[in-house]
Amino acid sequence: MSLLDTPYAWGGRGPATGFDCSGLVSHVYREAAGMPVKGSSADLGRQSRPIDRAKLQPGDLVFFNTLGAHHSHVGVYVGNNKFVHASNPRTGVRMDLLSNRYYAQRFEGAQSLLD
């Protein structure tokens, strides 16, 4: 949660430079779980395993089609129907509800990198 309001930066991988969506996921997994995770949101989709949306746990990944491409956006589920993500250059890192109309219409699935 300390990363909320960090600026968005395409290709960004750290709080000093900003984050894009996959950079935020990589940073969170490295810092919180000691797991080296790299790649684009589509790469993260290939590296993780699908899970039932009803079984989402904090730390799981949520994927969206925001650019007309499969898994073009990713966020980290934090519980209570909320996820954290590097949204866009205007808003940066923020928390949203999965039920938010924009994201609900673009939701592609829940996946996990955790056992």
Side-chain angles (χ1 to χ4, degrees):
M1 297 304 166
S2 65
L3 299 172
L4 291 174
D5 298 322
T6 301
Y8 180 95
W10 190 83
R13 302 269 176 221
T17 58
F19 292 105
D20 66 8
C21 65
S22 59
L24 177 65
V25 169
S26 295
H27 180 81
V28 167
Y29 269 79
R30 183 178 61 251
E31 295 299 313
M35 289 178 62
V37 176
K38 294 185 180 180
S40 67
S41 56
D43 293 333
L44 294 173
R46 287 187 287 275
Q47 295 170 31
S48 54
R49 64 179 169 77
I51 57 173
D52 188 302
R53 182 176 178 161
K55 295 183 179 181
L56 268 169
Q57 296 290 316
D60 288 335
L61 304 179
V62 287
F63 289 91
F64 306 89
N65 181 337
T66 59
L67 300 174
H70 186 60
H71 289 168
S72 56
H73 188 65
V74 63
V76 179
Y77 186 72
V78 296
N80 296 320
N81 197 40
K82 297 177 184 175
F83 68 104
V84 173
H85 61 125
S87 181
N88 60 57
R90 185 175 44 81
T91 61
V93 177
R94 59 185 277 169
M95 188 179 325
D96 277 299
L97 292 168
L98 287 172
S99 57
N100 170 298
R101 185 176 176 187
Y102 178 84
Y103 293 105
Q105 291 175 341
R106 291 161 177 82
F107 183 78
E108 287 193 311
Q111 299 193 198
S112 184
L113 289 166
L114 305 172
D115 292 330

